[in-house]
Amino acid sequence: MTSSPKSSIKIHEQCLVTPSPSDQTHLSLPLTFFDFFWLKFHPVERIFYYTLPLPLSNPSFFFDNVVPKLKASLSNTLRHFLPLAGNIVWPSDSNMPFIQFNPGDGVSLVLAQCDDDDNANFNQILEHNSPREAIKSRNLVPHLESSDSFAAVASLQITLFPNNGFSIGISTHHAALDGKSSTMFIKAWAFICNLDENEKFPSLEPFLDREVIKDRNGLNSFLINTWAELSVNSNKRSLEIMPDLSEPMLENSVRATFELTRGDLEKIKKRVLSQPIDSSSKPTTLSTFVLTCAYVSVCIAKAIEEAEGEKQKFAFAFTVDCRARLESEPPIPENYFGNCVCSHIVDTESEDFTKEDGVVLVAKKIYSEIKMLNNKEKRAIDGIETTMSRFVSLLSEGVKAMGVAGSTRFGVYGIDFGWGRPSKVEIVSVDRGLTIGITESKDGKGGVEVGLVLNKHVMGLFSTFFHAGLCFD
């Protein structure tokens, strides 16, 4: 066992897991405009933490018995999810990059073990409201390769915390799949691992036909050209992730998870709906998503502004699942595997977030944006051509852009590989921007877990605003 360059982690093995034998030996899958939007965006990274009793979490038993089962079931799962075992490529004779799988391709898998210091902190990792160094989670997610000539679609890391449990870290290329598709894969892997059988799983079988998404407005070429204009690489066909969009913000940063219970959300909803405000949209109810994004983004903004000691400008954006929103024939199925999300910037004033009634203002504006997206007269992809340029413009004006990753609808706390459900699920890549990570609460009672990475001082202020704002009837 050799030491990893990542401190506190020892690498047990690094290997390539290929799909189990199947009839299909080659696959080429085109990218759609939903994919091209994220072409050089940073990877999406998540960690699933599992508690394991002894002797399962004993190193010898774990690597000799648990890991082989995980690897075998991973191989069996990949035969259904061939794009994950491939790469994004852009041959010189092709106008567009695409996903390619060839025999021998596979997913990079790192098997690792935590040292004694980090292992002793396993229980702290699982706690809420317990900030820890942001870099610690980085040790548990694998690197995703990208270069001028290719970009890997996915990579995995299984890390043992001796006598405590283990984690599964996954990095995926956002130009190949969205969060819903990534979760579909993890669920399928757990299903096969749990049953130890190579069975069909209709509800988790991916739909790979990209032809259901039609490029009627030339968005494919437009987005490819937009990335070429933004790239600092002289090779405009390079598939390397853009450095400015990929580096985690780790210096003096901490990572923490907060929870909004069902009761907390009801308090926030009552507060928002009870305060009249000039608006063409007067909601009678508000979703968990709207309430969470409004409340947390306002707490972040107020914390940053107080830490900076001067007025700041903020904006908020979110992605919307377009599977059921596009008027497509045939319709896009729920198990469509790839990207089918579109990013939207909420029409807020930059000062709304730090006003006394900021939660009310922001909640109603997020609600209005979603209401328009649900209107069939306004397609969910309207404005996709200008979204990137609007982001660049906002950043150049010094606006701090906040976003959101994850969903309370993915059901991540139900993913059981055969040794129990996750003790915690973490979206690691929120450290690559001012991003709110959300999942459903582990207890299944309708609450929301919120994951953040912020400057240590800002996190302390955020915690104060977050808890103080819930202390009302």
Side-chain angles (χ1 to χ4, degrees), residues 87-306:
N87 297 287
I88 299 174
V89 297
W90 196 350
S92 59
D93 59 353
S94 175
N95 292 329
M96 300 279 177
F98 56 89
I99 297 174
Q100 183 178 74
F101 170 79
N102 292 314
D105 287 345
V107 171
S108 171
L109 173 65
V110 174
L111 302 176
Q113 179 176 319
C114 264
D115 69 7
D116 292 339
D117 290 338
D118 267 7
N119 187 42
N121 295 327
F122 183 72
N123 289 331
Q124 183 192 4
I125 292 173
L126 306 183
E127 293 176 2
H128 290 171
N129 304 329
S130 181
R132 67 187 193 283
E133 291 180 71
I135 197 171
K136 292 289 187 181
S137 292
R138 284 267 141 220
N139 294 336
L140 305 175
V141 290
H143 174 66
L144 190 68
E145 289 287 340
S146 72
S147 66
D148 283 352
S149 58
F150 82 97
V153 173
S155 59
L156 291 159
Q157 179 173 324
I158 299 170
T159 306
L160 173 67
F161 293 79
N163 305 324
N164 281 304
F166 72 102
S167 65
I168 297 177
I170 179 170
S171 299
T172 56
H173 200 300
H174 209 331
L177 68 166
D178 56 23
K180 186 170 186 176
S181 293
S182 173
T183 305
M184 187 194 313
F185 161 70
I186 294 288
K187 287 181 175 180
W189 180 15
F191 180 92
I192 290 178
C193 184
N194 206 12
L195 294 183
D196 199 23
E197 296 177 10
N198 189 17
E199 294 183 356
K200 287 286 184 181
F201 35 93
S203 64
L204 296 171
E205 188 81 38
F207 182 86
L208 299 179
D209 186 1
R210 301 293 178 91
E211 295 303 316
V212 295
I213 296 179
K214 311 294 183 185
D215 179 23
R216 297 188 178 94
N217 301 313
L219 289 173
N220 288 350
S221 297
F222 177 84
L223 292 169
I224 283 287
N225 292 334
T226 299
W227 278 115
E229 292 170 5
L230 293 174
S231 177
V232 296
N233 193 322
S234 58
N235 178 4
K236 300 306 179 182
R237 295 167 69 93
S238 172
L239 294 171
E240 187 172 13
I241 299 298
M242 285 182 63
D244 291 347
L245 298 177
S246 66
E247 289 304 312
M249 299 179 294
L250 301 175
E251 186 175 354
N252 200 30
S253 293
V254 292
R255 191 182 306 269
T257 301
F258 297 83
E259 184 173 14
L260 288 170
T261 66
R262 186 70 254 167
D264 294 332
L265 293 166
E266 289 297 327
K267 283 183 181 180
I268 299 167
K269 179 167 69 174
K270 182 179 178 181
R271 176 183 170 189
V272 173
L273 296 179
S274 66
Q275 296 190 33
I277 189 167
D278 292 335
S279 174
S280 58
S281 177
K282 297 179 180 179
T284 56
T285 189
L286 293 165
S287 69
T288 294
F289 177 82
V290 170
L291 294 168
T292 301
C293 291
Y295 187 72
V296 175
S297 63
V298 165
C299 289
I300 291 173
K302 289 181 176 180
I304 291 176
E305 187 164 283
E306 182 162 323

Side-chain angles (χ1 to χ4, degrees), residues 4-154:
S4 163
K6 298 178 177 181
S7 60
S8 78
I9 294 291
K10 294 178 180 178
I11 301 300
H12 189 274
E13 180 186 356
Q14 186 160 5
C15 58
L16 191 72
V17 178
T18 58
S20 61
S22 64
D23 295 335
Q24 190 162 11
T25 57
H26 172 83
L27 174 72
S28 290
L29 201 62
L31 299 178
T32 73
F33 58 84
F34 285 119
D35 304 316
F36 287 130
F37 184 88
W38 309 100
L39 185 61
K40 298 188 181 183
F41 206 70
H42 65 69
V44 180
E45 299 149 318
R46 285 192 290 183
I47 302 175
F48 296 77
Y49 295 94
Y50 292 88
T51 302
L52 271 185
L54 289 169
L56 298 178
S57 55
N58 173 274
S60 296
F61 189 94
F62 181 80
F63 287 110
D64 290 343
N65 296 276
V66 176
V67 166
K69 188 174 182 180
L70 288 168
K71 289 173 70 173
S73 55
L74 173 59
S75 178
N76 285 332
T77 308
L78 287 174
R79 67 179 295 187
H80 300 279
F81 292 81
L82 286 180
L84 282 178
N87 297 287
I88 299 174
V89 297
W90 196 350
S92 59
D93 59 353
S94 175
N95 292 329
M96 300 279 177
F98 56 89
I99 297 174
Q100 183 178 74
F101 170 79
N102 292 314
D105 287 345
V107 171
S108 171
L109 173 65
V110 174
L111 302 176
Q113 179 176 319
C114 264
D115 69 7
D116 292 339
D117 290 338
D118 267 7
N119 187 42
N121 295 327
F122 183 72
N123 289 331
Q124 183 192 4
I125 292 173
L126 306 183
E127 293 176 2
H128 290 171
N129 304 329
S130 181
R132 67 187 193 283
E133 291 180 71
I135 197 171
K136 292 289 187 181
S137 292
R138 284 267 141 220
N139 294 336
L140 305 175
V141 290
H143 174 66
L144 190 68
E145 289 287 340
S146 72
S147 66
D148 283 352
S149 58
F150 82 97
V153 173

